[in-house]
Amino acid sequence: MTDTQHQHVELSYEPALPIPRGKLCLWLFLSTEIMFFAGLIGSYIVLRFGVPEGAWPTPKQVYLVEWIGAFNTFVLICSSVTVVLALEAAKQNQAGLAKRWFVLTFLLGSVFLGIKAYEYTQKFEHGIYPMRPRSKIYDKANPYYVSAVGSYVAGEIAKLQVETGRTELTGMDQERLEHLRAVQTGLVNWTAEEVALEENPYAQSSQLETFAYVISPLDPDNSQAHEFLVSQKSEVEKQKDGFILEQKAKDQRSQEINEELVELNEAYAALEAKAEAGEAALTAAESEAFAKLATQRTELYEELTAVDASRAKLTQEIETYTARADVLEATLSSHHGLNEAWHLGLPIMIPSGNTWANTYFLLTGFHAVHVFIGLLAFALVMPMKLIATHAHLVENLGLYWHFVDLVWIFLFPLLYLF
């Protein structure tokens, strides 16, 4: 047996995993983040695709612009490329070049957050955001929605009226007050009355959908709805013109009655004075004329009371139809209804709107926080000299940044394309 057969095999062992501790910790952190975002995205998918067809808002209905989301995706992908270039430059001890790529990554990430802030602003301007106890979004066009709009309008009118008591309203506030009154009369009260008088459930539903469309249409390009509003406006204006003509006739009749009463009262007063003066008794003809004048006066006063009541009712009808015509005109002239035309901030109807707003701000909000944390880390590393000795920092930051980019790759099609 040779000596070589008695030699022991020597094995060498790594004291730990064959990767740096920093990278190991980062991978452990990213594994938890993957599970976190997987749960969020999975919940969104269940909510989104678990509703009936047409019961979830389209991107257009919630003011999501596809090309803006696509551009933001492109920006984030470019930032992932620049951080890789920064790492390669750092490994080659090209500190200046690495710094430039690093700064460009930081700027691209900042652009991403800036665009996201702009998108958030658009949502808040249109009242699409989560809020307690509830937001201005209603999922269905029903009487509760009409009541909510009515309560909001009444509250805003009350505020402006209180302000009017303190000081004179500015032109903008006065215009807002007039618009709110038009909405109260020509939209809220009009719809409530129409729905209450209508017995057909389908017709009631149509009235409520028109109500929601006038405030903020889900499909501004709906030609059928547009034509319906045009025909209704024409009908309303025709009816209003009829009321105006009728009121003019009542005014004329009221004037004629008053003129007749002046003559009758003069004749009646003369006979009454003669009778009260205690002179010779009225002749038979005068007594008959006196009784006849009394009857005519009574009839004319009764007619005048009825005419004045009719005139008051016609004035109210004209105001209602004028407000209705103004509301329809503003809706037709604007691409996005009254909220766009008069900037009233009325509650809006979006199917599953509250659920969408909650999930949208939750998903994009958490993602934005991760982007911000990445930018903060970039800002802390940026003053260093990015050479080979610091390449591991750039690599770890790059891994985190790629994860952030990958999450957005999932969020973009889910939120903007479906």
Side-chain angles (χ1 to χ4, degrees):
M1 185 178 295
T2 61
D3 294 338
T4 56
Q5 290 176 320
H6 294 280
Q7 289 180 342
H8 296 285
V9 177
E10 294 184 2
L11 302 175
S12 61
Y13 297 92
E14 288 284 344
L17 293 175
I19 57 174
R21 293 177 182 175
K23 185 182 289 189
L24 174 62
C25 291
L26 181 64
W27 275 115
L28 290 174
F29 169 73
L30 290 181
S31 65
T32 62
E33 291 295 286
I34 289 170
M35 290 186 287
F36 173 72
F37 275 103
L40 289 180
I41 293 173
S43 299
Y44 177 84
I45 291 173
V46 170
L47 291 171
R48 166 63 185 89
F49 296 101
V51 297
E53 185 70 25
W56 190 264
T58 64
K60 190 175 183 180
Q61 291 170 358
V62 288
Y63 301 92
L64 275 182
V65 184
E66 288 86 348
W67 74 262
I68 292 180
F71 178 75
N72 230 10
T73 304
F74 174 74
V75 167
L76 209 55
I77 292 173
C78 288
S79 68
S80 285
V81 174
T82 55
V83 77
V84 170
L85 295 174
L87 173 61
E88 292 303 316
K91 287 180 178 179
Q92 298 174 15
N93 287 319
Q94 296 177 339
L97 182 59
K99 181 66 66 67
R100 287 193 289 273
W101 287 122
F102 211 69
V103 170
L104 183 56
T105 303
F106 179 85
L107 293 176
L108 288 171
S110 300
V111 169
F112 177 88
L113 282 186
I115 295 174
K116 184 52 62 181
Y118 166 77
E119 289 188 307
Y120 276 15
T121 302
Q122 292 296 302
K123 306 296 173 294
F124 276 85
E125 284 182 358
H126 292 93
I128 304 173
Y129 50 84
M131 185 174 69
R132 295 183 65 184
R134 65 163 298 115
S135 69
K136 291 183 180 180
I137 305 173
Y138 285 77
D139 295 342
K140 295 179 180 179
N142 53 26
Y144 296 105
Y145 175 51
V146 177
S147 176
V149 175
S151 298
Y152 174 82
V153 171
E156 291 297 305
I157 290 175
K159 289 179 186 177
L160 290 171
Q161 287 175 336
V162 169
E163 194 66 27
T164 305
R166 296 174 182 170
T167 180
E168 187 177 351
L169 291 179
T170 62
M172 186 175 296
D173 286 339
Q174 184 62 39
E175 184 180 31
R176 178 176 174 80
L177 180 58
E178 292 172 1
H179 288 162
L180 286 167
R181 284 173 174 165
V183 170
Q184 188 178 53
T185 303
L187 183 62
V188 177
N189 294 347
W190 177 285
T191 303
E193 185 176 349
E194 290 290 320
V195 171
L197 295 175
E198 184 60 60
E199 297 181 358
N200 187 342
Y202 177 79
Q204 289 180 340
S205 177
S206 178
Q207 289 285 349
L208 293 169
E209 288 175 3
T210 301
F211 177 87
Y213 183 92
V214 167
I215 293 174
S216 182
L218 293 176
D219 183 11
D221 300 324
N222 189 331
S223 59
Q224 186 176 358
H226 183 83
E227 290 173 3
F228 172 75
L229 291 182
V230 169
S231 65
Q232 191 177 75
K233 179 175 177 291
S234 176
E235 196 174 309
V236 166
E237 289 180 338
K238 183 179 179 181
Q239 188 69 34
K240 184 185 75 171
D241 292 340
F243 286 138
I244 292 173
L245 289 175
E246 189 176 350
Q247 188 183 50
K248 287 180 179 179
K250 295 292 183 182
D251 291 341
Q252 185 176 356
R253 180 55 186 157
S254 177
Q255 185 178 356
E256 291 173 355
I257 292 173
N258 282 313
E259 290 174 355
E260 290 179 31
L261 282 171
V262 169
E263 296 177 1
L264 286 174
N265 285 333
E266 289 177 357
Y268 184 86
L271 291 173
E272 188 178 34
K274 184 177 180 181
E276 291 177 354
E279 300 177 3
L282 297 175
T283 64
E286 287 176 334
S287 297
E288 185 180 350
F290 187 70
K292 187 176 180 181
L293 286 173
T295 302
Q296 288 177 338
R297 286 176 71 234
T298 302
E299 290 175 350
L300 285 174
Y301 276 121
E302 289 176 352
E303 184 181 357
L304 182 62
T305 301
V307 169
D308 287 342
S310 179
R311 289 170 63 210
K313 185 176 180 181
L314 284 170
T315 300
Q316 186 177 3
E317 290 288 353
I318 291 170
E319 290 176 355
T320 299
Y321 277 79
T322 300
R324 182 64 176 176
D326 290 343
V327 164
L328 294 175
E329 176 62 30
T331 305
L332 292 169
S333 63
S334 172
H335 196 58
H336 292 288
L338 283 184
N339 270 352
E340 187 79 12
W342 288 347
H343 306 287
L344 298 178
L346 301 172
I348 56 178
M349 192 284 292
I350 301 176
S352 303
N354 282 296
T355 303
W356 182 90
N358 292 333
T359 53
Y360 172 81
F361 281 95
L362 185 68
L363 288 167
T364 59
F366 271 119
H367 180 261
V369 168
H370 283 72
V371 173
F372 177 77
I373 292 172
L375 293 179
L376 183 62
F378 284 140
L380 293 174
V381 174
M382 210 175 294
M384 300 180 182
K385 189 174 183 180
L386 302 180
I387 55 178
T389 54
H390 293 147
H392 66 284
L393 292 176
V394 179
E395 184 179 9
N396 290 341
L397 277 177
L399 284 173
Y400 175 82
W401 199 248
H402 293 327
F403 167 75
V404 171
D405 189 0
L406 185 63
V407 170
W408 182 253
I409 294 298
F410 281 96
L411 293 181
F412 167 65
L414 284 174
L415 296 174
Y416 288 81
L417 303 180
F418 294 101

